mmCIF file with all atom_site columns, all heavy atoms in Angstrom:
data_model
loop_
_atom_site.group_PDB
_atom_site.id
_atom_site.type_symbol
_atom_site.label_atom_id
_atom_site.label_alt_id
_atom_site.label_comp_id
_atom_site.label_asym_id
_atom_site.label_entity_id
_atom_site.label_seq_id
_atom_site.pdbx_PDB_ins_code
_atom_site.Cartn_x
_atom_site.Cartn_y
_atom_site.Cartn_z
_atom_site.occupancy
_atom_site.B_iso_or_equiv
_atom_site.pdbx_formal_charge
_atom_site.auth_seq_id
_atom_site.auth_comp_id
_atom_site.auth_asym_id
_atom_site.auth_atom_id
_atom_site.pdbx_PDB_model_num
ATOM 1  N N   . CYS A 1 463 ? -75.887 47.655 -2.617 1.00 89.00 ? 1013 CYS A N   1
ATOM 2  C CA  . CYS A 1 463 ? -76.900 47.966 -1.588 1.00 89.00 ? 1013 CYS A CA  1
ATOM 3  C C   . CYS A 1 463 ? -77.086 49.475 -1.450 1.00 89.00 ? 1013 CYS A C   1
ATOM 4  O O   . CYS A 1 463 ? -78.221 49.981 -1.474 1.00 89.00 ? 1013 CYS A O   1
ATOM 5  C CB  . CYS A 1 463 ? -76.479 47.337 -0.265 1.00 89.00 ? 1013 CYS A CB  1
ATOM 6  S SG  . CYS A 1 463 ? -77.572 47.734 1.123  1.00 89.00 ? 1013 CYS A SG  1
ATOM 7  N N   . TRP A 1 464 ? -75.969 50.161 -1.302 1.00 89.00 ? 1014 TRP A N   1
ATOM 8  C CA  . TRP A 1 464 ? -76.086 51.610 -1.114 1.00 89.00 ? 1014 TRP A CA  1
ATOM 9  C C   . TRP A 1 464 ? -76.541 52.300 -2.397 1.00 89.00 ? 1014 TRP A C   1
ATOM 10 O O   . TRP A 1 464 ? -77.243 53.336 -2.330 1.00 89.00 ? 1014 TRP A O   1
ATOM 11 C CB  . TRP A 1 464 ? -74.755 52.196 -0.661 1.00 89.00 ? 1014 TRP A CB  1
ATOM 12 C CG  . TRP A 1 464 ? -74.437 51.825 0.767  1.00 89.00 ? 1014 TRP A CG  1
ATOM 13 C CD1 . TRP A 1 464 ? -73.510 50.987 1.203  1.00 89.00 ? 1014 TRP A CD1 1
ATOM 14 C CD2 . TRP A 1 464 ? -75.110 52.334 1.898  1.00 89.00 ? 1014 TRP A CD2 1
ATOM 15 N NE1 . TRP A 1 464 ? -73.517 50.872 2.564  1.00 89.00 ? 1014 TRP A NE1 1
ATOM 16 C CE2 . TRP A 1 464 ? -74.515 51.725 3.032  1.00 89.00 ? 1014 TRP A CE2 1
ATOM 17 C CE3 . TRP A 1 464 ? -76.170 53.225 2.108  1.00 89.00 ? 1014 TRP A CE3 1
ATOM 18 C CZ2 . TRP A 1 464 ? -74.929 51.982 4.337  1.00 89.00 ? 1014 TRP A CZ2 1
ATOM 19 C CZ3 . TRP A 1 464 ? -76.564 53.485 3.405  1.00 89.00 ? 1014 TRP A CZ3 1
ATOM 20 C CH2 . TRP A 1 464 ? -75.961 52.860 4.522  1.00 89.00 ? 1014 TRP A CH2 1
ATOM 21 N N   . GLN A 1 465 ? -76.212 51.785 -3.543 1.00 88.00 ? 1015 GLN A N   1
ATOM 22 C CA  . GLN A 1 465 ? -76.745 52.357 -4.774 1.00 88.00 ? 1015 GLN A CA  1
ATOM 23 C C   . GLN A 1 465 ? -78.260 52.211 -4.827 1.00 88.00 ? 1015 GLN A C   1
ATOM 24 O O   . GLN A 1 465 ? -78.991 53.136 -5.216 1.00 88.00 ? 1015 GLN A O   1
ATOM 25 C CB  . GLN A 1 465 ? -76.098 51.683 -5.995 1.00 88.00 ? 1015 GLN A CB  1
ATOM 26 C CG  . GLN A 1 465 ? -74.680 52.148 -6.286 1.00 88.00 ? 1015 GLN A CG  1
ATOM 27 C CD  . GLN A 1 465 ? -74.078 51.436 -7.479 1.00 88.00 ? 1015 GLN A CD  1
ATOM 28 O OE1 . GLN A 1 465 ? -74.564 50.388 -7.874 1.00 88.00 ? 1015 GLN A OE1 1
ATOM 29 N NE2 . GLN A 1 465 ? -73.008 52.012 -8.043 1.00 88.00 ? 1015 GLN A NE2 1
ATOM 30 N N   . ASN A 1 466 ? -78.759 51.041 -4.425 1.00 88.00 ? 1016 ASN A N   1
ATOM 31 C CA  . ASN A 1 466 ? -80.220 50.833 -4.422 1.00 88.00 ? 1016 ASN A CA  1
ATOM 32 C C   . ASN A 1 466 ? -80.898 51.755 -3.420 1.00 88.00 ? 1016 ASN A C   1
ATOM 33 O O   . ASN A 1 466 ? -81.989 52.285 -3.679 1.00 88.00 ? 1016 ASN A O   1
ATOM 34 C CB  . ASN A 1 466 ? -80.528 49.375 -4.076 1.00 88.00 ? 1016 ASN A CB  1
ATOM 35 C CG  . ASN A 1 466 ? -80.138 48.428 -5.200 1.00 88.00 ? 1016 ASN A CG  1
ATOM 36 O OD1 . ASN A 1 466 ? -80.086 48.843 -6.363 1.00 88.00 ? 1016 ASN A OD1 1
ATOM 37 N ND2 . ASN A 1 466 ? -79.861 47.167 -4.858 1.00 88.00 ? 1016 ASN A ND2 1
ATOM 38 N N   . ILE A 1 467 ? -80.272 51.945 -2.246 1.00 86.00 ? 1017 ILE A N   1
ATOM 39 C CA  . ILE A 1 467 ? -80.870 52.846 -1.245 1.00 86.00 ? 1017 ILE A CA  1
ATOM 40 C C   . ILE A 1 467 ? -80.849 54.272 -1.762 1.00 86.00 ? 1017 ILE A C   1
ATOM 41 O O   . ILE A 1 467 ? -81.819 55.039 -1.600 1.00 86.00 ? 1017 ILE A O   1
ATOM 42 C CB  . ILE A 1 467 ? -80.105 52.723 0.091  1.00 86.00 ? 1017 ILE A CB  1
ATOM 43 C CG1 . ILE A 1 467 ? -80.351 51.338 0.707  1.00 86.00 ? 1017 ILE A CG1 1
ATOM 44 C CG2 . ILE A 1 467 ? -80.524 53.826 1.077  1.00 86.00 ? 1017 ILE A CG2 1
ATOM 45 C CD1 . ILE A 1 467 ? -79.545 51.079 1.956  1.00 86.00 ? 1017 ILE A CD1 1
ATOM 46 N N   . ALA A 1 468 ? -79.699 54.644 -2.420 1.00 86.00 ? 1018 ALA A N   1
ATOM 47 C CA  . ALA A 1 468 ? -79.609 56.006 -2.951 1.00 86.00 ? 1018 ALA A CA  1
ATOM 48 C C   . ALA A 1 468 ? -80.646 56.250 -4.031 1.00 86.00 ? 1018 ALA A C   1
ATOM 49 O O   . ALA A 1 468 ? -81.089 57.389 -4.251 1.00 86.00 ? 1018 ALA A O   1
ATOM 50 C CB  . ALA A 1 468 ? -78.204 56.258 -3.493 1.00 86.00 ? 1018 ALA A CB  1
ATOM 51 N N   . GLU A 1 469 ? -81.036 55.219 -4.711 1.00 84.00 ? 1019 GLU A N   1
ATOM 52 C CA  . GLU A 1 469 ? -82.032 55.351 -5.780 1.00 84.00 ? 1019 GLU A CA  1
ATOM 53 C C   . GLU A 1 469 ? -83.446 55.215 -5.247 1.00 84.00 ? 1019 GLU A C   1
ATOM 54 O O   . GLU A 1 469 ? -84.400 55.067 -6.006 1.00 84.00 ? 1019 GLU A O   1
ATOM 55 C CB  . GLU A 1 469 ? -81.767 54.311 -6.857 1.00 84.00 ? 1019 GLU A CB  1
ATOM 56 C CG  . GLU A 1 469 ? -80.456 54.571 -7.626 1.00 84.00 ? 1019 GLU A CG  1
ATOM 57 C CD  . GLU A 1 469 ? -80.130 53.442 -8.569 1.00 84.00 ? 1019 GLU A CD  1
ATOM 58 O OE1 . GLU A 1 469 ? -80.905 52.454 -8.585 1.00 84.00 ? 1019 GLU A OE1 1
ATOM 59 O OE2 . GLU A 1 469 ? -79.096 53.506 -9.279 1.00 84.00 ? 1019 GLU A OE2 1
ATOM 60 N N   . GLY A 1 470 ? -83.593 55.218 -3.881 1.00 79.00 ? 1020 GLY A N   1
ATOM 61 C CA  . GLY A 1 470 ? -84.931 55.183 -3.281 1.00 79.00 ? 1020 GLY A CA  1
ATOM 62 C C   . GLY A 1 470 ? -85.303 53.837 -2.719 1.00 79.00 ? 1020 GLY A C   1
ATOM 63 O O   . GLY A 1 470 ? -86.456 53.628 -2.318 1.00 79.00 ? 1020 GLY A O   1
ATOM 64 N N   . GLY A 1 471 ? -84.351 52.978 -2.637 1.00 76.00 ? 1021 GLY A N   1
ATOM 65 C CA  . GLY A 1 471 ? -84.653 51.658 -2.108 1.00 76.00 ? 1021 GLY A CA  1
ATOM 66 C C   . GLY A 1 471 ? -84.872 51.688 -0.601 1.00 76.00 ? 1021 GLY A C   1
ATOM 67 O O   . GLY A 1 471 ? -84.486 52.633 0.102  1.00 76.00 ? 1021 GLY A O   1
#
Side-chain angles (χ1 to χ4, degrees):
C1013 176
W1014 288 109
Q1015 284 179 342
N1016 290 335
I1017 292 175
E1019 292 173 358

